[in-house]
Amino acid sequence: MASHAEEVAAGAVWTPCGYRSETAALRSVLLVRPPDSVGAVRRPGASLMVGPVDLPAMRAQCDALADRLRDDGVEVHLAAPEASPNVVFARDLFWMTPAGAVLARMASAQRAGEERHAALALAGAGFPILRTVSGTAVFEGADALWIDPSTVVVGTGFRTNAAGAAAVASAVAELGARVVTVPLEPGVQHLLGTVVFLGPSTAVVHRAACPPELAALLAAYGYRVIPLPPDEELLVRRGMNLLVLAPERVLMPAGCPGIRRTLERAGVAVDEIDVGAYLRAAGGIGCVTGVVRREH
């Protein structure tokens, strides 16, 4: 009898999903159409946002992102739940393995329960739910990244705790992979805000937020590191909050010419898209895009 992972890969029982590389060609994503609640926010800080958000503009940017990805051959699953406003940041709500999704358990009270909307969307599209983080564990999908096909780096801090990392480790152990944890610097929300893998041996890092444990790990795995300073382009315009479309090819927020030049000098092909409304909600392209499948 075939294993569950073999059934997922075959595509007869389940819709194929997952990946073991953060930079392999992107094939399928989950986006969440901004709900009405985004326009109803009166106290942005209390909703984890940096300012009021123009709901029609955010919806237009969501549609433009979906169209841009479809033009690149990416299958876009567009969910439209009536939920709390931060549900638009689908990357946090799950993390995908080749055998199915690990559903998050959100650390912040404002986002509690958003995971069920991701579960409905994923299950509705035929993707299996491999694990649901529970108990005292907290885990958000933007804290888990494949550093190579058999190793997952999990950042621990105030969004993902040790128990959450253990839940991820349990899920990938069945796939012959292991988890290495790194503590995030104080105030850093996610691992994805500290490092982004651009190719099989290239990574870009937020220089001021990269802990020594992560720097040592990148060196041990032979990565060429592109450090970015903590300037306005990084911290306000979220230029590192990008989406890898294929090895050394990315889609990044418009309005970050310095980061774009740095990436292009490193041999990375760069395209841009306007996500200004999402920036007001304290997120960028990487946060918005729930990665479902990359080429194996």
Side-chain angles (χ1 to χ4, degrees):
M1 181 178 179
S3 70
H4 170 70
E6 289 169 339
E7 288 180 343
V8 175
V13 178
W14 301 99
T15 304
C17 61
Y19 53 98
R20 288 179 181 260
S21 166
E22 300 294 330
T23 65
L26 187 62
R27 289 292 174 251
S28 181
V29 302
L30 174 67
L31 300 180
V32 176
R33 186 164 174 78
D36 291 343
S37 59
V38 170
V41 172
R42 295 294 174 263
R43 296 172 57 227
S47 296
L48 308 179
M49 298 180 172
V50 298
V53 177
D54 182 330
L55 176 59
M58 182 181 270
R59 284 178 171 167
Q61 289 169 11
C62 177
D63 292 340
L65 176 59
D67 289 342
R68 171 64 183 79
L69 292 173
R70 292 187 186 107
D71 289 344
D72 206 61
V74 178
E75 182 181 36
V76 177
H77 301 272
L78 187 61
E82 281 308 318
S84 54
N86 288 286
V87 74
V88 298
F89 298 122
R91 181 65 177 264
D92 301 336
L93 303 180
F94 68 96
W95 178 72
M96 193 65 76
T97 79
V102 177
L103 279 183
R105 181 169 182 259
M106 309 306 289
S108 58
Q110 295 94 326
R111 301 196 65 181
E114 289 179 10
E115 312 92 321
R116 63 192 178 95
H117 301 292
L120 285 169
L122 293 169
F127 302 114
I129 307 298
L130 186 63
R131 288 283 191 287
T132 299
V133 176
S134 61
T136 59
V138 290
F139 165 71
E140 300 188 6
D143 274 329
L145 299 171
W146 292 94
I147 194 170
D148 78 359
S150 63
T151 310
V152 182
V153 182
V154 175
T156 56
F158 67 95
R159 296 298 184 95
T160 294
N161 61 12
V168 175
S170 172
V172 300
E174 298 175 2
L175 304 172
R178 69 186 184 115
V179 158
V180 176
T181 61
V182 295
L184 299 181
E185 292 292 301
V188 174
Q189 288 192 7
H190 293 119
L191 180 65
L192 191 65
T194 301
V195 60
V196 178
F197 296 106
L198 303 176
S201 59
T202 304
V204 61
V205 301
H206 176 180
R207 187 177 66 200
C210 185
E213 295 88 347
L214 178 58
L217 195 63
L218 292 170
Y221 278 78
Y223 274 84
R224 173 180 60 133
V225 172
I226 304 168
L228 296 179
D231 58 12
E232 182 183 356
E233 288 193 11
L234 180 71
L235 300 178
V236 178
R237 302 182 204 171
R238 299 182 184 267
M240 201 179 93
N241 198 303
L242 50 78
L243 179 65
V244 177
L245 301 174
E248 275 86 35
R249 188 161 70 86
V250 305
L251 181 63
M252 67 175 287
C256 301
I259 291 178
R260 177 168 187 159
R261 284 193 299 270
T262 297
L263 295 179
E264 288 178 335
R265 282 197 298 265
V268 178
V270 178
D271 197 2
E272 296 181 352
I273 193 168
D274 179 20
V275 289
Y278 286 102
L279 301 184
R280 298 283 288 171
I285 298 171
C287 300
V288 168
T289 310
V291 177
V292 173
R293 186 167 69 92
R294 292 185 181 274
E295 283 188 358
H296 292 293

